Amino acid sequence: YAQHVAEGHGIVWNIGEPPVDGATDFLFMIITAWLVHAGVSVEAAVRSLGIGAYVLTVGLIYLAIRTIHNGPVLIALTSALYLAVGPGMYYVAAYFGTPFFALFACLTWCLAWFVVKYPASNVLAVLFSLSSLLTGLIRPEGVILSTTMLLAIVFLLGWKRAIRVVAAFVLVFSTLGALYFAWRWSYFGHPLPNPFVKKGGGLIYLGSLRTSLRNTFFMSLPFLPAIVLGLRSSLAFRLSVFGLIPVIGFASAFVFLSNEMNFGGRFQYATLPILLVSWYAAIRGIEGELRLPSLASFSMRARTAVMLFAVVLAVGTVGYAYYSSRGITYGRDGRYEVGRMLGDYAEEGLVLGTSEAGLLPLYSRWRTVDTWGLNDPWVARNGGITETYLDQFNPHLIMFHASFSPQIAPEGSTPWNEMTTLLKDYAERRGYVLAAAYGATPRSVHYYYVRPDFAQSAEIIDRLRSIDYYYYSTGDLATDFARSAGVSK
């Protein structure tokens, strides 16, 4: 989408077709497109924005602890480093805009803290509201996140003291927000992003809720004891609840969306900087409230022991973030190599039908049918792909990610299995050639079917079979299960 905007085609999936809001991260996409238009490659633009946002968020957390809470350097460093060694750079490596969204979520939350410290400030109320709007422009769920922050402010201040910020929030969203919403509805012809239609559909996804809460819990785990200590007094309890309202509220909102594409818990990542800015408020001043002896009253040996213990605890906390993120992997991907190979035929007017609406369309530049529907309004609104709809495009290449192989049948009836089975049957009934079925295991396979009746068909089949295909989940060379089963000839 950013590439097409940069080239002047508008926010479209296929050049020449009507606009589609499939990217969902509107403002991030526009800024990426501006960088691409200025001469930066789309890959470098996305990663530059991600790295910049990641570094700024780390610094913002440190400054927030020091300025908002007047926290010690060790506390601020621990919070900042916890984010620094966490999953943020894995998201950047995989070209997700997650850190950019998290930066604005963190900025908006810092402004929320300043609002509760200075509730009489009209300037802070407006700044919080404008930052909330920007967060919502980056990703639509930013509106939900910002609204939970507003509810947290009302909870802590009460309606009377929060009236300024509530009025500013309503004013900003009912004017600037409404103008944007009216424009996007007019431009795209639908009020919601296409992936929300596909992944939501007005249903309840309890599995997504469990995954979201689990991701949030494990991201936050080392700091939860501090939140529990907030039970010790009325003020500490209110501050703890204030910090938890946007975290739990946002995590719970994913009950309305399926969990697909939640790479490394990226949908919940925005709650992490919020928690890292807030947790110290729950224990600030605890030594006085519990009448603990001051560090100065200890002997030199005791002070040294306490300080070393604090350092070890901080290192252990940061280490937890590092080791718990190491399971998020981003390896070499054969779809990239295939996409670049198919790019040699970009001027031939060929059509790709695929469930993998990422690397292949970007690098091949073929007209693409997204068979899962995240980028296809018809598929999203009509319950899935059909053979009749595919016939309208008559794709030259059909590629899909299946949970079966030529040797093993699919297990269970899921929407994804139904789609991939339909694509397989469609290709075989119409005489497509199975060029390859690359996979790491027989339960995770990339099928490539090529229509045999166009000029470049035989050449593309040969190149697909001879390519060094690395499987994304392992980064290792994949097995061609079609060849091992004697299906491809």
Side-chain angles (χ1 to χ4, degrees):
Y1 288 99
Q3 188 78 54
H4 290 162
V5 170
E7 294 169 353
H9 303 295
I11 308 172
V12 297
W13 176 241
N14 290 309
I15 295 173
E17 293 184 358
V20 180
D21 187 5
T24 66
D25 42 4
F26 173 77
L27 190 56
F28 178 75
M29 175 196 62
I30 293 299
I31 296 174
T32 300
W34 178 79
L35 291 173
V36 173
H37 185 71
V40 182
S41 72
V42 68
E43 300 93 338
V46 169
R47 281 190 167 167
S48 296
L49 287 173
I51 292 171
Y54 162 81
V55 172
L56 288 173
T57 309
V58 171
L60 186 57
I61 289 170
Y62 178 86
L63 291 174
I65 296 290
R66 296 286 288 155
T67 58
I68 296 174
H69 305 304
N70 196 28
V73 171
L74 182 61
I75 293 292
L77 276 176
T78 301
S79 297
L81 289 175
Y82 189 88
L83 188 87
V85 303
M89 284 303 291
Y90 293 98
Y91 304 142
V92 174
Y95 295 100
F96 286 113
T98 305
F100 192 76
F101 178 59
L103 169 63
F104 279 83
C106 185
L107 176 62
T108 305
W109 184 238
C110 289
L111 288 168
W113 269 104
F114 279 113
V115 164
V116 299
K117 290 188 71 174
Y118 308 104
S121 172
N122 292 325
V123 173
L124 285 173
V126 171
L127 287 176
F128 166 77
S129 302
L130 290 173
S131 185
S132 296
L133 178 62
L134 288 174
T135 304
L137 290 177
I138 295 168
R139 287 198 62 83
E141 61 265 35
V143 176
I144 298 174
L145 180 57
S146 299
T147 302
T148 62
M149 293 180 186
L150 180 66
L151 292 175
I153 292 172
V154 173
F155 165 80
L156 193 60
L157 294 179
W159 279 106
K160 288 185 178 180
R161 298 179 68 204
I163 190 64
R164 282 181 174 83
V165 69
V166 172
F169 192 91
V170 171
L171 179 63
V172 166
F173 275 86
S174 63
T175 54
L176 298 177
L179 285 173
Y180 166 74
F181 188 73
W183 168 83
R184 62 157 289 113
W185 197 335
S186 172
Y187 185 78
F188 294 112
H190 196 274
L192 294 176
N194 199 67
F196 280 42
V197 177
K198 174 62 182 177
K199 296 169 62 177
L203 303 176
I204 297 296
Y205 298 88
L206 294 179
S208 295
L209 175 62
R210 287 192 294 269
T211 300
S212 179
L213 293 176
R214 183 172 64 248
N215 289 341
T216 304
F217 175 82
F218 284 108
M219 281 184 183
S220 312
L221 184 58
F223 302 96
L224 295 182
I227 302 298
V228 173
L229 287 173
L231 296 172
R232 72 186 185 276
S233 69
S234 176
L235 176 60
F237 174 75
R238 290 175 63 79
L239 289 173
S240 296
V241 173
F242 173 71
L244 287 176
I245 287 175
V247 173
I248 297 176
F250 186 66
S252 300
F254 288 94
V255 71
F256 298 110
L257 291 175
S258 65
N259 194 52
E260 63 198 71
M261 291 299 292
N262 193 5
F263 173 81
R266 69 185 180 98
F267 294 163
Q268 290 75 47
Y269 179 71
T271 64
L272 183 56
I274 293 171
L275 182 88
L276 293 175
V277 168
S278 303
W279 73 273
Y280 180 65
I283 62 170
R284 185 184 176 199
I286 192 172
E287 65 279 0
E289 294 175 20
L290 299 183
R291 298 179 182 179
L292 300 175
S294 65
L295 194 60
S297 66
F298 288 8
S299 66
M300 179 62 72
R301 177 175 291 183
R303 279 202 302 272
T304 302
V306 170
M307 292 172 65
L308 285 175
F309 176 78
V311 170
V312 169
L313 186 61
V315 170
T317 299
V318 173
Y320 171 84
Y322 172 71
Y323 283 102
S324 61
S325 299
R326 291 181 67 189
I328 303 171
T329 58
Y330 174 74
R332 190 170 175 179
D333 194 330
R335 290 170 294 190
Y336 168 75
E337 306 295 345
V338 170
R340 288 179 62 87
M341 180 271 287
L342 296 177
D344 294 341
Y345 310 92
E347 304 302 321
E348 305 298 331
L350 303 179
V351 178
L352 166 68
T354 182
S355 67
E356 306 303 284
L359 295 170
L360 291 172
L362 175 63
Y363 289 103
S364 72
R365 301 299 296 247
W366 288 23
R367 185 186 182 193
T368 302
V369 183
D370 177 2
T371 61
W372 184 235
L374 295 177
N375 303 281
D376 191 301
W378 190 93
V379 175
R381 294 180 176 87
N382 287 274
I385 194 75
T386 66
E387 293 193 7
T388 302
Y389 187 68
L390 274 173
D391 280 337
Q392 297 179 29
F393 300 90
N394 195 21
H396 298 81
L397 172 64
I398 294 176
M399 183 272 171
F400 54 90
H401 182 184
S403 62
F404 53 84
S405 68
Q407 302 96 326
I408 298 177
E411 287 183 348
S413 178
T414 66
W416 189 270
N417 281 346
E418 290 171 3
M419 174 196 65
T420 53
T421 300
L422 181 147
L423 293 174
K424 180 177 182 293
D425 292 343
Y426 177 91
E428 292 178 352
R429 278 198 291 266
R430 284 159 178 78
Y432 282 66
V433 176
L434 178 57
Y438 291 115
T441 73
R443 287 294 178 198
S444 184
V445 179
H446 290 166
Y447 276 79
Y448 289 88
Y449 280 99
V450 181
R451 214 179 76 201
D453 58 351
F454 62 100
Q456 303 84 1
S457 175
E459 183 179 325
I460 290 174
I461 290 171
D462 287 341
R463 295 182 72 178
L464 281 169
R465 289 174 176 171
S466 62
I467 202 166
D468 288 335
Y469 199 95
Y470 290 81
Y471 209 67
Y472 77 101
S473 61
T474 63
D476 298 326
L477 276 171
T479 300
D480 184 356
F481 290 103
R483 180 176 301 177
S484 63
V487 178
S488 62
K489 299 178 181 178

